[in-house]
Amino acid sequence: MTTARTGRGGPGGSGARSAVLEGVLERITYANEETGYTVARIDDGRGGELTTAVGALLGAQPGESLRMEGRWGSHPQYGRQFMVDNYTTVLPATVQGVRRYLGSGLVKGIGPRLAERIVGHFGVEALDVIEETPERLIEVPNLGPKRTRLIAEAWEEQKAIKEVMVFLQGIGVSTSLAVRIYKKYGDASISTVRNEPYKLATDVWGIGFKTADTIAQSVGIPHDSPQRVMAGIQFTLSESTSDGHCYLPEERLISEAVKILQVGSGLVIECLAALVAEEGVVAEKVPGPDGEAHTAVYLVPFQRAEAALAAQLRTLLSSPEDRMSAFAGVEWDKALGWLGNRTGTDLAAEQEAAVKLALTSKVAVLTGGPGCGKSFTVASIIALAAAKQAKIVLAAPTGRAAKRLTELTGHEASTVHRLLELKPGGDASYDRDRPLDCDLLVVDEASMLDLLLANKLAKAVPPGAHLLLVGDVDQLPSVGAGQVLRDLLATDGGDSPIPNVRLTHVFRQAQQSGVVANAHRVNTGKPPLLEGMTDFFLFPCDDAEQTAELTVDVVANRIPRKFGLDPRRDVQVLTPMHRGPAGAGNLNTLLQGALTPSRDGVPERRFGGRIFRVGDKVTQIRNNYEKGANGVFNGTLGVITGIDSDEQQVAVRTDEDEDIGYDFAELDELVHAYAVTVHRSQGSEYPAVVIPVTTSAWMMLQRNLLYTAITRAKRLVVLVGSRKAVAQAVRNATAGRRNTALAHRLLGS
């Protein structure tokens, strides 16, 4: 059997003489996930030092035998290297090559030890046996029929995936995406790619419009094809939801689509009208920021969710049933007196108002900053409800927030996803037809609720039950589209139809905390106090690269030495942005090197430009409803507990104490989480937070971003970076408004 795969594109100069290099790919030292540019080390079989090969070695895996065409060149720092123009993979012809190939992890179920046994039994014929007579694998000692069958199936799948890759490699699609395409479409993969390439952008995670567009051009779809333009319009709307918008104004949508598609506005307008007619998008009049009506264009799920959420909240508020009717005529002096005796603390006036509201109104919002007694108020509400034997259900958007709510109240809390028992595809097990069995539903960290999740949650609340949403409206809005909590509190410039209480009084004990005091100073536009603080510090540094190095030193050495905190478990770096020297991407590389370095005998797995190791902090970057008991969701944190080269899986223990397995091909769903963006930190609390703040993140330096980062800390905040950047963040209160119409719809307009 022979198999070939081609790759394109190296940096070789046209003046150099063409050459061929054959050898085994020993290891990949660098890979750019976006361009496919790879630096690899090749064993050419001559017994000397390994050869460096550079270029688009897209899809090549350690252990494979490669035949590379290109040119020899020299790098001023790294010396002689082979610049690859294209390559093919060939099956190895020696016992050593076969053993290395089989043990490389290419075939699921075969790791180095099993490869040794298979090649030890069959010699150089091992690959032919697996290909032609896999039932003979049972001849290998201690290899049973079940394992034999699994290996044969994995080999067949690998062959089929390689056929798809042969087709896709020429247009620059990575191995991991080829695997996803195959898993989605199976034998129909190539025909789907050829005939409906834009379908990939909606069906296959990791393939956006730009990749689908590249594929479409390669298979001959015209630049001005209506299929392309309509897909581009939907992509433009999808990109806007990533920025938090539920819709785009029609004029802005047309303008942005023209830029992306590089076609005339007339064609975009025609295709938009066709999409509306086909119900591929929804267009309707809503009030704009100036109060004047404009045409809003939505992707269908977002328009339906926004309308349904507003309608459901109004329905809940006006329900004639009341599952908490015991509080309609309660003697509040007695009830609050009983509560004070039980807790040993009297509620402040604002807190009393919040308690009464939550127990008498069927939908209510409780908001307030740190130190204002929000948690104690929630615990008081739950204590009074429990005293009346109410059925209480508690939830939060993240596992960490749910754990904190459990500790606070003594009642079990779960994530919203787990509460609703989301199924593959994203549908919830609980909805209007099968509501939750509860009298009081309390949802903490409600600023994190995006539109789609809030709609699913509201649908599951039974008529007559009370829904209490608790959160800090001054924090960043949700990662997903919408600004639900903010919209519930501010409706078209008038009073909100959703009853609410805002706690503003900072209690004396909390005032003694520099973290709390400075959070409120930042939120009101004042610079943080730095003198005389024992829990709030600034390490000044104006250079972004030096800021990154200083951040690592603070996390790995200074905080553990002074405060006795564990740098991986207790300290979290929060950054304004992902890119740049002091961004999450680079900081994760530096922090991993300091906290979880490579160790002999400890397995690790490279994926693209990242290396995953046992002990790594990681976070999920997409909603995956297929994993775990009820899905694993964007922002879920975890720690890598194992890497199995035989089964080609990485094991992760999430912050919900669930063990999740990731196939090696799925590792693009995980990124390191030693440093995360402030947006990704929402709903989490950490003993210590380190915040690099540099002028290179100028566009992201906003007051609510710095405020959110500070409020994630329980004990300690350390700012690292530029005083000028901190001042800019405090001054900049103009956080971008999201395009939503929930507030308008809540009025029933």
Side-chain angles (χ1 to χ4, degrees):
M1 170 193 160
T2 61
T3 186
R5 184 159 80 248
T6 60
R8 276 195 327 192
S14 57
R17 183 181 300 175
S18 296
V20 172
L21 173 66
E22 294 185 352
V24 175
L25 198 165
E26 283 291 327
R27 65 178 180 271
I28 294 171
T29 57
Y30 171 81
N32 185 305
E33 295 171 74
E34 294 180 5
T35 65
Y37 179 78
T38 303
V39 178
R41 300 285 278 164
I42 307 295
D43 181 356
D44 61 10
R46 297 177 185 175
E49 291 186 1
L50 298 178
T51 300
T52 299
V54 300
L57 287 160
L58 210 55
Q61 297 288 335
E64 288 188 310
S65 295
L66 306 181
R67 185 179 192 277
M68 294 159 282
E69 296 179 1
R71 296 160 182 80
W72 288 101
S74 182
H75 188 279
Q77 182 176 352
Y78 300 111
R80 191 169 186 257
Q81 57 187 23
F82 190 79
M83 295 175 286
V84 180
D85 290 330
N86 57 71
Y87 75 93
T88 57
T89 61
V90 292
L91 291 181
T94 67
V95 167
Q96 182 184 5
V98 171
R99 184 188 300 115
R100 188 182 294 151
Y101 179 81
L102 272 182
S104 66
L106 282 168
V107 184
K108 191 170 183 178
I110 302 181
R113 289 189 299 275
L114 183 54
E116 187 84 35
R117 284 160 49 204
I118 291 172
V119 176
H121 187 82
F122 294 113
V124 77
E125 307 296 323
L127 298 180
D128 291 331
V129 169
I130 297 172
E131 164 72 15
E132 296 165 10
T133 54
E135 64 276 5
R136 286 190 59 201
L137 286 172
I138 202 168
E139 297 173 18
V140 178
N142 301 317
L143 193 59
K146 181 180 178 182
R147 188 79 175 273
T148 297
R149 187 180 70 255
L150 291 174
I151 291 171
E153 289 171 358
W155 181 265
E156 287 301 314
E157 182 180 61
Q158 184 67 20
K159 273 199 329 185
I161 290 170
K162 283 196 175 187
E163 288 177 20
V164 175
M165 287 199 304
V166 166
F167 176 69
L168 294 176
Q169 289 272 289
I171 49 176
V173 178
S174 70
T175 308
S176 62
L177 292 185
V179 170
R180 289 186 188 280
I181 291 169
Y182 179 79
K183 287 189 174 178
K184 178 68 181 176
Y185 303 116
D187 293 339
S189 295
I190 292 175
S191 64
T192 302
V193 169
R194 281 200 173 114
N195 301 318
E196 301 176 275
Y198 292 106
K199 200 167 183 286
L200 302 178
T202 53
D203 286 356
V204 182
W205 184 77
I207 296 185
F209 173 79
K210 291 176 183 176
T211 302
D213 200 33
T214 302
I215 294 170
Q217 289 176 40
S218 74
V219 297
I221 290 178
H223 187 72
D224 59 356
S225 158
Q227 178 190 358
R228 175 177 184 266
V229 176
M230 286 193 278
I233 290 170
Q234 290 178 312
F235 167 73
T236 305
L237 286 172
S238 179
E239 285 289 280
S240 75
T241 66
S242 300
D243 293 330
H245 300 300
C246 296
Y247 70 82
L248 282 181
E250 183 178 41
E251 290 183 2
R252 180 174 163 189
L253 170 62
I254 292 167
S255 169
E256 292 190 7
V258 164
K259 286 180 192 172
I260 289 168
L261 293 163
Q262 295 294 296
V263 297
S265 58
L267 180 57
V268 171
I269 292 168
E270 286 176 25
C271 290
L272 176 56
L275 265 177
V276 172
E278 295 172 10
E279 298 184 351
V281 298
V282 177
E284 61 178 313
K285 294 284 187 183
V286 302
D290 57 1
E292 295 295 317
H294 62 185
T295 300
V297 184
Y298 290 81
L299 290 173
V300 174
F302 293 92
Q303 190 275 341
R304 288 180 178 167
E306 198 173 75
L309 175 57
Q312 176 67 357
L313 290 174
R314 292 199 311 269
T315 298
L316 291 172
L317 269 171
S318 60
S319 172
E321 299 177 53
D322 190 350
R323 298 177 68 143
M324 302 274 284
S325 58
F327 289 97
V330 76
E331 293 184 45
W332 284 108
D333 286 345
K334 285 186 179 179
L336 294 172
W338 171 86
L339 182 67
N341 289 332
R342 187 171 181 270
T343 61
T345 305
D346 290 331
L347 294 170
E350 290 175 337
Q351 293 175 308
E352 284 189 10
V355 169
K356 293 175 184 177
L357 184 69
L359 296 173
T360 57
S361 177
K362 295 177 192 112
V363 181
V365 173
L366 171 60
T367 187
C372 292
K374 201 161 67 247
S375 296
F376 185 70
T377 305
V378 171
S380 300
I381 291 166
I382 290 167
L384 283 170
K388 294 291 188 182
Q389 282 76 52
K391 292 180 180 176
I392 302 165
V393 172
L394 307 179
T398 67
R400 284 183 175 226
K403 280 182 182 176
R404 197 167 65 246
L405 191 55
T406 299
E407 293 164 2
L408 167 71
T409 63
H411 286 69
E412 188 66 30
S414 70
T415 62
V416 176
H417 304 96
R418 196 177 291 275
L419 174 68
L420 298 177
E421 293 182 6
L422 295 186
K423 298 175 288 191
D427 292 331
S429 297
Y430 291 94
D431 53 24
R432 281 195 196 93
D433 297 328
R434 188 195 175 203
L436 296 163
D437 183 16
C438 67
D439 302 323
L440 172 64
L441 172 58
V442 179
V443 183
D444 199 9
E445 295 286 356
S447 63
M448 290 186 66
L449 288 176
D450 63 35
L451 174 65
L452 298 182
L453 186 58
N455 181 46
K456 288 183 173 73
L457 180 69
K459 283 181 183 176
V461 180
H466 289 219
L467 171 63
L468 174 63
L469 299 173
V470 183
D472 186 346
V473 75
D474 293 322
Q475 289 185 14
L476 291 169
S478 56
V479 174
Q483 49 185 21
V484 173
L485 190 65
R486 198 166 294 170
D487 285 345
L488 298 187
L489 293 172
T491 310
D492 289 4
D495 292 334
S496 170
I498 305 299
N500 62 84
V501 170
R502 179 167 190 150
L503 303 179
T504 57
H505 174 70
V506 182
F507 288 90
R508 184 178 301 168
Q509 185 177 357
Q511 289 174 357
Q512 296 169 0
S513 161
V515 174
V516 171
N518 279 330
H520 285 280
R521 286 183 64 86
V522 167
N523 199 33
T524 55
K526 299 173 184 174
L529 295 173
L530 300 169
E531 298 299 324
M533 292 289 178
T534 59
D535 60 355
F536 201 104
F537 303 92
L538 168 67
F539 284 84
C541 183
D542 290 328
D543 179 81
E545 290 186 0
Q546 290 175 8
T547 295
E549 294 171 5
L550 183 53
T551 298
V552 174
D553 185 39
V554 166
V555 172
N557 301 311
R558 300 194 189 201
I559 289 178
R561 194 162 56 233
K562 183 173 178 62
F563 295 96
L565 296 175
D566 182 280
R568 282 192 295 183
R569 185 186 63 243
D570 300 329
V571 184
Q572 183 62 54
V573 177
L574 304 180
T575 71
M577 57 197 299
H578 182 77
R579 297 181 185 277
N586 185 52
L587 281 171
N588 270 314
T589 300
L590 298 176
L591 286 162
Q592 184 194 37
L595 301 176
T596 317
S598 180
R599 289 177 291 155
D600 289 342
V602 178
E604 57 183 46
R605 177 68 184 182
R606 175 179 285 278
F607 188 95
R610 297 189 291 274
I611 299 173
F612 293 98
R613 297 178 182 136
V614 173
D616 273 341
K617 286 169 68 171
V618 291
T619 185
Q620 174 85 6
I621 59 170
R622 66 167 290 220
N623 289 345
N624 187 334
Y625 298 97
E626 311 290 334
K627 285 198 170 297
N630 298 112
V632 182
F633 300 93
N634 188 0
T636 298
L637 289 165
V639 175
I640 293 178
T641 56
I643 298 175
D644 189 325
S645 299
D646 288 4
E647 295 302 319
Q648 295 186 40
Q649 275 208 338
V650 169
V652 174
R653 180 81 167 175
T654 73
D655 56 4
E656 294 180 56
D657 297 324
E658 187 175 15
D659 293 309
I660 303 292
Y662 289 82
D663 289 343
F664 285 170
E666 297 174 317
L667 289 177
D668 54 353
E669 295 186 23
L670 293 177
V671 297
H672 293 97
Y674 300 98
V676 299
T677 61
V678 179
H679 271 95
R680 288 198 166 274
S681 73
Q682 292 176 86
S684 296
E685 245 186 11
Y686 315 94
V689 162
V690 179
I691 310 167
V693 189
T694 66
T695 53
S696 60
W698 199 255
M699 296 299 291
M700 296 296 292
L701 294 176
Q702 296 168 351
R703 184 183 299 172
N704 64 346
L705 185 138
L706 182 57
Y707 172 73
T708 301
I710 292 170
T711 59
R712 298 305 85 207
K714 287 192 284 189
R715 290 174 50 190
L716 174 68
V717 169
V718 180
L719 303 176
V720 183
S722 160
R723 294 181 188 272
K724 182 179 177 182
V726 173
Q728 163 66 10
V730 172
R731 282 195 305 269
N732 185 8
T734 57
R737 175 177 161 74
R738 295 183 168 190
N739 293 319
T740 73
L742 178 61
H744 163 69
R745 296 180 197 277
L746 281 167
L747 294 174
S749 309

